[in-house]
Structure formats: C-alpha cells, structure tokens
Amino acid sequence: MAAEIQPKPLTRKPILLQRVEGSQEVVNMAVIVPKEEGVISVSEDRTVRVWLKRDSGQYWPSIYHAMPSPCSCMSFNPETRRLSIGLDNGTISEFILSEDYNKMTPVKDYQAHQSRVTMILFVLELEWVLSTGQDKQFAWHCSESGHRLGGYRTSAVASGLQFDVETRHVFIGDHSGQVTILKLEQENCTLVTTFRGHTGGVTALCWDPVQRVLFSGSSDHSVIMWDIGGRKGTAIELQGHNDKVQALSYAQHTRQLISCGGDGGIVVWNMDVERQETPEWLDSDSCQKCNQPFFWNFKQMWDSKKIGLRQHHCRKCGKAVCGKCSSKRSSIPLMGFEFEVRVCDSCHEAITDEERAPTATFHDSKHNIVHVHFDATRGWLLTSGTDKVIKLWDMTPVVS
C-alpha cells in the first residue's frame, strides 16, 4: 500500500529567483551558464535558446535558433563552450557559442541514432561524445573527427547516462529498470555488470566520482544508491516521492542528493549519514510472529481450523507477518523510508525517536519537472517542466 506524504512544516525552503517563459512546447533540458546570469534551453518546439539576464532583471533570448527537428536533449561544456544537441530524428548537432553568448556557430553533425536521441554526454578529457537513443543503442563518437567509435545495444530504451572519466566506465539506465555498466576503450566496449533493483523503468542517473556512488531514479517513485566503490554490491533504497522520479542532481560538497518528481516535488536528501540496506523480504507460509496461516496454506488452515490471513512484510526486519501483527506504521529515515511504512509491532517498539528523525526535506516546485541542473558554486537549481516554464531557485537555505 502506498505511503502517504505528510511533510512537516519547514522554515527553510528554496527561494524562487526567476521564471523564464517563452517556449511554445515542453523544455526538455536546460542548464545554467557558469559565471554568467544565463540559461541555455532546448525544447520540443525545435528551438535552442540562450537566455541572458537584462538590466530589467528579466531573462530574454540572446540566441534563438530553430533546428530541423524537435530538440530532445543537450550537453554543454563551459570550458570550450561546445553545445551538443540531440534531435528527434536521431542526429546530434554541435555548435560553439561565442564568449558573449550572442552567437552559435555550427561545427558538425553526427548521424548517431536511427530515432530520437535520449541522452548526450560530452567528455572533454577523451574528446568523446556519448549518446543513447530510442533505437536502443548506446554509441560513442570522436568529437574531433566525427567518426563513430563503437556502440552497444541496450535491453530497452535508455533514459539515464553517466560516465566516470577515471575508469572509463559508462552507466546506462533503461526503461526495463536495469542499469548496465560498460568499460569503454577507444573502439570497443566490455560489459562489466548489470544492476536490477527497480520495479519500474530507470528515469535518471547521477554519479558521484569521489564517493564512487551511483544514484538511479525510477518511475516506481524510488531512488536507489548503488555503492560502486567501497562496499561493492550495497544498494540503499530512498522512498520520498509520490510520483515517478524525473531527475537527479548531486551537491558533492555537502553530500546532498536532489531528486525531483513528476508531481513537482523537490526532495533534498542528506547522504552524509550512515544509511542501512532494506532487508530482503522473507518467505513463509504462516505469520512469523503469531504463526497464523496465510490464505494459501491450506494444510495448516485445515489442521488448525482457522481462516487464512493476508501476508504483509515488516519494512524494518523483513519478516512475513499478518495484519494484526503489523498494525502500526513508522518512518525509518536511515533505511530511506521518510514516510510511514508498515512495521511489525516489536520493531515499532524498538524504533527510537532519534531513528525517526528525518534525513530529507520536501519542497513543492509547482510544476511537473522533467529535468534539473544544479550550479554548486552559487547554490542555484534550475528546473524545467512540462508547463514550458524554466524556474531558477536559490537552494542555499536547504543545500548547505
């Protein structure tokens, strides 16, 4: 049964700095321009726009460029001002922006995919362009020559893409709920492993190269933290959304994860705490507390002349229990359960008030978020939504 969101009143919350409006269709992706009062956006209306803040305090387009196909995604490298744009027709178009962000010069096109490009990453250190598409292909190209270096077929359409420069590992999340890890060489790749922990499709990935932790968001409303580095194989589940998780960002300097949902919720998670793995759910034919048979256990029902009960599981210990033995609910933040979940009566008594202390804060963006970008130097968060609006937030009251 879905947990109810009951956020407590907050004194600290994000401050809305600016609403940027003007797109005719959904803004699929946008980024904050570092060291500038500017935003770059790509939209389903085929436009690439660079918005700069004017003396009036409003953001107005300094560049308005129409592409031949709807713009599905983008990657911007501030050092080189290289802008890579993924299109609905499978093409990746590359531009260089001028120093004053008033002009964009075409560089080259990559015929990367057979259908819509879903994610792009530009890796400056290797001069690679990584991409995924609705054709279920992951591909990487040389950004100098434009030549395709290699590819890999994913099990489903990919919607999350991250890369670790040091080890050359690429992380791909797809609609089947699987995360695939590949090791890339110059012209070939090797499958390292696959993770499966979500019951819905993976919608977003976020990589912390320092702690060597991967975060995956899903349409099943959850975020999973995969410890790739220290404790290999550890997976911590975070439950704090009532709708699909659409986007993730990580504030590395404060070890806080920002997750955004389809219902407009922005959740800021404190990851600088010792979290616990959720236990495996145990199998049993009868309640592991009172020994009452479950409804499929015909033999025990007949022998004891008792009607079988519905099976539940305690989220704290994982035991199979009946409704009577798990009538109470509790939040277990260190296990990722920020909302109250079912626990058995003995676990409910054992959970202390300190263990119930929240490790996340909840905020409402008031629009259906499809993408986020976090500027750690200023503490600004950009959210773009299906309402065709871009919002800029000052997150320093909550990300600090």
Side-chain angles (χ1 to χ4, degrees):
M1 190 172 176
E4 292 292 326
I5 293 187
Q6 295 177 335
K8 296 178 180 179
L10 295 170
T11 54
R12 298 185 303 163
K13 60 182 182 180
I15 301 166
L16 181 61
L17 299 173
Q18 194 71 240
R19 283 172 59 97
V20 181
E21 301 179 70
S23 297
Q24 303 302 310
E25 295 290 344
V26 175
V27 179
N28 286 317
M29 201 169 281
V31 296
I32 300 167
V33 180
K35 302 177 183 177
E36 296 282 344
E37 299 258 28
V39 170
I40 305 170
S41 68
V42 296
S43 170
E44 203 68 30
D45 64 10
R46 301 192 298 115
T47 63
V48 181
R49 308 185 196 210
V50 179
W51 312 78
L52 295 181
K53 191 174 183 180
R54 307 302 185 185
D55 292 339
S56 64
Q58 296 298 312
Y59 282 73
W60 293 97
S62 62
I63 295 175
Y64 179 104
H65 185 86
M67 301 296 291
S69 182
C71 306
S72 52
C73 57
M74 62 176 280
S75 176
F76 178 64
N77 182 267
E79 293 179 49
T80 60
R81 297 188 307 283
R82 186 191 301 253
L83 178 64
S84 307
I85 302 163
L87 303 180
D88 189 64
N89 63 13
T91 303
I92 296 174
S93 295
E94 224 166 54
F95 299 85
I96 297 294
L97 299 184
S98 61
E99 287 188 29
D100 60 4
Y101 291 95
N102 281 308
K103 183 183 178 184
M104 52 192 286
T105 305
V107 178
K108 65 171 69 72
D109 287 342
Y110 307 86
Q111 301 305 317
H113 297 276
Q114 299 299 312
S115 55
R116 186 180 178 93
V117 183
T118 54
M119 292 296 293
I120 304 174
L121 284 178
F122 171 64
V123 184
L124 177 62
E125 294 85 347
L126 300 169
E127 295 288 351
W128 285 354
V129 177
L130 315 180
S131 63
T132 57
Q134 283 191 347
D135 56 1
K136 300 182 183 179
Q137 286 286 334
F138 161 73
W140 72 104
H141 291 74
C142 172
S143 62
E144 290 291 290
S145 66
H147 293 153
R148 180 185 172 99
L149 298 175
Y152 180 87
R153 185 166 181 81
T154 56
S155 59
V157 174
S159 45
L161 181 64
Q162 291 287 288
F163 184 70
D164 182 60
V165 175
E166 184 183 340
T167 62
R168 298 192 182 186
H169 284 151
V170 64
F171 308 94
I172 305 166
D174 64 45
H175 286 180
S176 74
Q178 181 172 287
V179 178
T180 301
I181 303 179
L182 304 174
K183 174 68 180 287
L184 297 191
E185 302 298 342
Q186 187 61 29
E187 295 185 358
N188 62 73
C189 67
T190 308
L191 176 63
V192 177
T193 188
T194 57
F195 295 147
R196 185 175 287 277
H198 290 289
T199 57
V202 175
T203 50
L205 293 179
C206 187
W207 172 243
D208 174 12
V210 176
Q211 302 294 327
R212 307 203 62 75
V213 166
L214 181 73
F215 300 97
S216 60
S218 171
S219 57
D220 65 9
H221 307 182
S222 74
V223 177
I224 295 180
M225 181 184 83
W226 309 90
D227 193 337
I228 310 292
R231 299 174 297 164
K232 292 184 179 179
T234 302
I236 306 294
E237 195 170 338
L238 305 175
Q239 297 281 359
H241 287 277
N242 250 7
D243 205 333
K244 60 183 176 181
V245 178
Q246 294 276 54
L248 299 171
S249 191
Y250 188 65
Q252 196 171 291
H253 62 300
T254 59
R255 293 194 64 186
Q256 286 171 290
L257 177 71
I258 303 169
S259 62
C260 298
D263 58 358
I266 300 175
V267 183
V268 181
W269 306 84
N270 177 16
M271 302 310 298
D272 198 20
V273 293
E274 191 65 34
R275 294 191 175 272
Q276 305 164 18
E277 275 193 286
T278 51
E280 291 288 335
W281 284 5
L282 302 177
D283 292 325
S284 179
D285 290 329
S286 55
C287 175
Q288 294 180 298
K289 292 293 182 179
C290 69
N291 204 35
Q292 286 268 45
F294 294 132
F295 63 82
W296 62 80
N297 188 352
F298 298 113
K299 184 180 185 303
Q300 189 177 345
M301 286 165 56
W302 179 263
D303 292 345
S304 62
K305 301 296 187 288
K306 291 179 179 177
I307 297 173
L309 304 176
R310 182 184 172 191
Q311 177 184 274
H312 299 280
H313 283 91
C314 173
R315 301 305 193 270
K316 181 81 165 64
C317 65
K319 288 183 177 178
V321 288
C322 66
K324 186 179 178 182
C325 293
S326 58
S327 59
K328 296 182 174 64
R329 290 177 170 271
S330 174
S331 60
I332 322 173
L334 293 180
M335 280 188 168
F337 298 114
E338 290 291 332
F339 312 139
E340 292 189 345
V341 290
R342 183 184 295 272
V343 292
C344 66
D345 293 353
S346 54
C347 282
H348 187 271
E349 292 176 11
I351 299 172
T352 64
D353 289 340
E354 287 182 358
E355 290 177 307
R356 290 190 178 95
T359 62
T361 59
F362 302 86
H363 316 279
D364 186 6
S365 69
K366 292 184 167 52
H367 70 158
N368 183 327
I369 296 171
V370 295
H371 179 74
V372 299
H373 178 239
F374 183 65
D375 180 354
T377 57
R378 287 177 281 190
W380 287 6
L381 182 75
L382 178 152
T383 61
S384 54
T386 56
D387 54 4
K388 311 168 192 176
V389 175
I390 299 167
K391 292 185 178 181
L392 275 172
W393 306 86
D394 179 4
M395 297 295 288
T396 52
V398 290
V399 180
S400 59

